[in-house]
Amino acid sequence: MTTIYLDNNATTRTAPEVLEAMTPYLTELYGNPSSMHTFGGQVHKKIEDARGQVAALINAEPEEILFTSCGTESDNTALMSAVETYPLKKHLITTRVEHPAVLNLCHHLGRKGFRTTYLPVNALGQLDPAALDNAVDDDTAIVSIMFANNETGVIFPVETIAHRLQEQGILFHTDAVQAAGKIPLDVKKTPVNMLTLSGHKLHAPKGIGALYVRKGTRFHPYIIGGHQEHGRRAGTENAASIIGFGKAAELARTNHLEEITYLGRLRDRLEQGLLNSCPHTRVNGDIASRLPNTTNISFEYIEGEAILLRLNEYGICASSGSACTSGSLEPSHVLRAMGVPYTAVHGSIRFSLSRYNSEKDIDTVLEVMPNIIQELRELSPFGRDMQANSQVQAKE
Ligand code: PLP
C-alpha cells in the first residue's frame, strides 16, 4: 500500500536534494567545525554557507541566524533570553493558540512568579491587535505571537504587530515554524526581534532549528558551554543537519511562488471536495488569511481519532486536532479558543500538504472519505440522530 502523506505540519519528508547535500558530512567529512585544521575548516565553511541560505529565506543577515536543535529550543531560547536580559520585568504576552513550545514554557514561568497574558482569538482564529495594545504594560518583558497556526493554518497580522511593538520598544518574538517555506517572510519589512524556524517542517531532517536574532537585540544564550555560534548557543554543531537545513531553505526560497500556487490549488480541491461530498462539515479558521497547504475540517458528531484510524487503513496520514501536538486525547486548545462547538472540535481533522503531494493523492481521499464518514456516523448515536433529522428535513 502506498502512503498518502497529508500530515506535513507535523513533519515533512527530507528532500532528496537535502539528503544529497548532507551525506558527505555524515560520512567522510566528519571534522569538527571548531578545529584549527583544514579538515574541520571545510565543515565550518559549509555551515557558514548554510547560515547564509537560511538567512536568505527570511531576508536576514547571516550573522543574525543561530542554529539550534529544533523549533522548541528556539522558542525557549527567545523567551528565556528576554527573561534573563530584562530581569526586572515579569510580564509575558502570548496567545491562547500558540504551540506548547511557548504555552508550556509560559505556564512553567508562571510557577516561578511570572504573569502571562494569553490573548484571545475570535471564531475565525484571528487575533485583534487592539487587544495586544491593551495588554502591554511597563512590566512586559516580551511578546511572543506565532506567525501561522499549526492546526488551522491561520496567519496572524505579524507585520502590523511588529511595527506597533517596535514603536513602543517592546521585545517581540514570532514562532514562524509553520509559516517558513509556505508564505514569504521578510524581517526587513517585519521588524521582529526574534523569529523561530524548524528544519523538519520544510523538508530538512528532524532535530535542527534556527533562531533569528535581530542585530542590536539584547540576547542571553539558553545553552551554556563552549563558544560555538559566537557564544550564543553552546554545543558542537549538528553539521550535516545544518547543511541540510541550508539546502532546504534554498529550495523553499527558489521554488516559492510555484509551490504556493500548487499547494493552494490542491488544498482547495481537497477542501471543496470534502465539503461537497460529506454533509455536516465545516472549515475551521480564517480562509482569507491561511497557509496555502493547510485545511482543518470538522466532521460533526464523529470522533477525529476514528476517522484517522479508518484513513490509516488506506495508507492516508492526517492528524486530528486533539492528538497532534500533545499525544493526548484532550480536545484541541486552538479550536476551543476559537469557540468551535464541542461536537465539531472532536471530529476535526487537519490535512496538511507538501510539494510531494499529487492530484492523485487528493482523488484517493475524496474517493474514500464520504463512505468513511457515513459509516462512522451510522455507528455514532449522535450521528444517527443527526442523519435521521436531516432525512426528515429533506422530506419536509
Ligand atoms: N512551533 C510550532 C508552531 C510548531 O508547529 C512546532 C512543531 O509542530 C514547533 C513550534 C516545535 O518545533 P520542533 O518540532 O522543531 O521542536
Side-chain angles (χ1 to χ4, degrees):
M1 186 166 55
T2 49
T3 298
I4 297 179
Y5 188 75
L6 300 172
D7 200 12
N8 288 279
N9 288 7
T11 196
T12 58
R13 170 184 170 184
T14 302
E17 300 91 329
V18 167
L19 188 62
E20 196 189 341
M22 291 172 67
T23 303
Y25 300 89
L26 289 167
T27 50
E28 68 269 28
L29 296 176
Y30 53 81
N32 187 323
S34 298
S35 297
M36 286 299 290
H37 42 71
T38 314
F39 188 60
Q42 58 193 330
V43 182
H44 174 77
K45 158 90 181 55
K46 280 300 280 191
I47 288 180
E48 292 316 306
D49 291 350
R51 200 182 305 282
Q53 289 166 312
V54 171
L57 181 66
I58 60 169
N59 199 19
E61 302 304 319
E63 60 275 18
E64 293 175 314
I65 299 295
L66 65 101
F67 289 109
T68 65
S69 68
C70 59
T72 301
E73 186 192 320
S74 298
D75 284 344
N76 275 241
T77 303
L79 270 70
M80 293 309 290
S81 171
V83 162
E84 290 274 3
T85 52
Y86 293 93
L88 298 180
K89 299 192 181 219
K90 300 287 178 203
H91 179 219
L92 314 165
I93 301 178
T94 188
T95 77
R96 289 195 193 159
V97 297
E98 298 297 308
H99 189 272
V102 169
L103 282 181
N104 285 340
L105 179 60
C106 291
H107 298 158
H108 172 74
L109 289 170
R111 293 189 285 274
K112 295 189 175 290
F114 287 82
R115 172 170 65 89
T116 302
T117 303
Y118 298 93
L119 299 172
V121 294
N122 66 16
L124 294 177
Q126 260 309 348
L127 197 65
D128 177 5
L132 173 61
D133 292 342
N134 295 334
V136 170
D137 61 28
D138 291 343
D139 199 30
T140 305
I142 189 165
V143 175
S144 183
I145 292 178
M146 66 199 329
F147 217 108
N149 187 270
N150 42 305
E151 291 191 30
T152 58
V154 169
I155 301 168
F156 282 155
V158 169
E159 190 174 330
T160 309
I161 293 170
H163 281 288
R164 288 198 198 186
L165 291 173
Q166 189 185 40
E167 278 163 25
Q168 298 171 75
I170 304 277
L171 206 59
F172 180 35
H173 162 252
T174 186
D175 175 340
V177 163
Q178 294 293 344
K182 297 172 194 156
I183 52 171
L185 297 177
D186 183 340
V187 292
K188 300 266 180 334
K189 278 208 271 179
T190 306
V192 297
N193 295 94
M194 290 181 271
L195 178 147
T196 288
L197 299 170
S198 173
H200 73 108
K201 309 290 181 173
L202 51 104
H203 305 291
K206 295 157 195 57
I208 184 70
L211 182 67
Y212 157 81
V213 183
R214 178 176 295 276
K215 245 179 259 170
T217 297
R218 284 208 230 165
F219 182 78
H220 191 275
Y222 186 52
I223 296 191
I224 296 170
H227 58 270
Q228 291 90 352
E229 297 293 287
H230 299 285
R232 294 179 301 175
R233 199 273 184 183
T236 302
E237 296 88 339
N238 181 354
S241 294
I242 290 174
I243 292 160
F245 191 8
K247 185 69 191 175
E250 184 192 282
L251 291 173
R253 192 168 64 90
T254 46
N255 302 335
H256 216 76
L257 286 178
E258 285 131 77
E259 201 162 310
I260 290 176
T261 316
Y262 177 69
L263 289 173
R265 192 164 50 79
L266 280 193
R267 188 274 314 272
D268 290 347
R269 195 159 84 75
L270 172 66
E271 185 172 274
Q272 272 315 311
L274 291 174
L275 294 181
N276 292 340
S277 62
C278 306
H280 303 285
T281 46
R282 48 177 279 168
V283 174
N284 299 310
D286 183 0
I287 57 166
S289 177
R290 198 172 44 150
L291 295 175
N293 78 320
T294 309
T295 177
N296 186 309
I297 303 183
S298 282
F299 300 87
E300 293 186 81
Y301 306 103
I302 16 187
E303 290 294 324
E305 282 66 35
I307 303 173
L308 291 183
L309 288 175
R310 292 300 316 278
L311 286 173
N312 193 45
E313 289 168 20
Y314 295 92
I316 300 168
C317 309
S319 62
S320 72
S322 45
C324 68
T325 51
S326 57
S328 76
L329 292 179
E330 281 296 301
S332 152
H333 69 286
V334 175
L335 300 187
R336 275 184 303 154
M338 290 161 63
V340 175
Y342 183 80
T343 47
V345 170
H346 279 274
S348 73
I349 299 289
R350 177 188 70 185
F351 296 98
S352 48
L353 283 59
S354 84
R355 69 175 79 122
Y356 298 113
N357 289 121
S358 64
E359 299 279 355
K360 196 161 163 287
D361 293 344
I362 305 303
D363 292 340
T364 308
V365 179
L366 292 179
E367 212 176 284
V368 302
M369 199 65 165
N371 284 342
I372 292 179
I373 298 302
Q374 194 180 341
E375 281 167 30
L376 291 174
R377 287 230 172 97
E378 277 163 13
L379 291 174
S380 141
F382 296 115
R384 275 200 301 271
D385 290 351
M386 185 200 72
Q387 282 185 338
N389 285 342
S390 313
Q391 275 156 13
V392 172
Q393 275 166 18
K395 278 190 198 141
E396 281 168 359

